[in-house]
Amino acid sequence: MSEWSRHSDEVLLGATPRDPEAFGEFYRRHEDGILGFHLRRVGDPEVAIDLTAETFAAALRSARRFRPGAAPARAWLFGIARNTLAMSVRRRRVESRARRKLGLAPLAITDEALECVLALSETPVLDLVDTLPEQQRHALTERVVEERSYADIARDLQCSELVVRKRVSRALETLRDQVQGDDPMVGGAQ
């Protein structure tokens, strides 16, 4: 556990210009989520890995300009991921501009890395999570995937722990019903 592991994403981004380890913690928290985001959209593990690297390089370059606001830092990061993907689609290639500006070497993708990414893509639950209402999806991902405490999530979302617990509970109930073949009302109360 790093010294940064107890800090919010917003604190990590604010500290990044002074201490690169802060961004390292931010990266570790969100790497799988960003990789899954790209993988579900492009379907190619190698392209998803490249897009993920470019997303985090762009985030690192932009960390100085990040300002905490109503939306959590994770939403800011996913905005960068969406822009990275959109730019790559428009240009019909994965951009590497941010990585080049940081002086990062081209990625060498190992067979082991590809197997890990393929395992992510074979998880149908990830597709089901995408069907959840935004607030439930965010709370569930932060709690289950990112393994953050209810208190940390509530602080980032500026709501009570009870609200976060209800969102996670409802999300899990919806996923359980979908996996069991029931016909839940996705998009209901939050």
Side-chain angles (χ1 to χ4, degrees), residues 86-102:
M87 185 181 308
S88 294
V89 167
R90 274 194 310 273
R91 295 187 177 171
R92 294 191 173 132
R93 66 183 169 89
V94 176
E95 286 294 318
S96 59
R97 180 178 42 189
R99 287 179 282 168
R100 280 194 316 272
K101 286 182 178 179
L102 289 171

Side-chain angles (χ1 to χ4, degrees), residues 25-184:
E25 178 63 30
F26 183 76
Y27 173 85
R28 283 186 289 279
R29 286 182 189 176
H30 301 293
E31 177 188 21
D32 287 347
I34 295 296
L35 182 58
F37 170 86
H38 287 305
L39 184 60
R40 286 188 297 279
R41 282 150 184 86
V42 300
D44 182 322
E46 289 186 48
V47 173
I49 289 170
D50 279 341
L51 287 166
T52 299
E54 186 65 9
T55 296
F56 279 104
L60 179 58
R61 286 184 41 82
S62 300
R64 288 182 195 279
R65 294 188 307 268
F66 172 79
R67 297 292 175 261
R74 189 170 192 281
W76 171 82
L77 179 62
F78 273 87
I80 292 172
R82 280 189 296 281
N83 291 339
T84 299
L85 178 61
M87 185 181 308
S88 294
V89 167
R90 274 194 310 273
R91 295 187 177 171
R92 294 191 173 132
R93 66 183 169 89
V94 176
E95 286 294 318
S96 59
R97 180 178 42 189
R99 287 179 282 168
R100 280 194 316 272
K101 286 182 178 179
L102 289 171
L104 299 175
L107 289 176
I109 301 170
T110 65
D111 289 341
E112 181 182 345
L114 282 176
E115 287 177 25
C116 289
V117 174
L118 287 171
L120 274 176
S121 68
E122 293 170 359
T123 308
V125 173
L126 291 177
D127 293 333
L128 296 177
V129 169
D130 282 343
T131 69
L132 293 170
E134 170 64 31
Q135 291 179 331
Q136 288 180 18
R137 181 174 60 246
H138 180 72
L140 179 71
T141 302
E142 291 294 307
R143 179 68 182 134
V144 176
V145 177
E146 304 295 334
E147 298 179 350
R148 297 186 63 208
S149 71
Y150 288 109
D152 286 345
I153 300 166
R155 185 174 45 254
D156 287 351
L157 296 177
Q158 299 176 341
C159 65
S160 72
E161 285 184 50
L162 181 60
V163 168
V164 175
R165 288 178 185 276
K166 284 184 178 185
R167 289 176 184 172
V168 170
S169 175
R170 287 178 180 149
L172 290 171
E173 183 179 349
T174 299
L175 292 176
R176 185 195 68 233
D177 290 345
Q178 287 179 335
V179 168
Q180 291 176 348
D182 293 347
D183 188 25

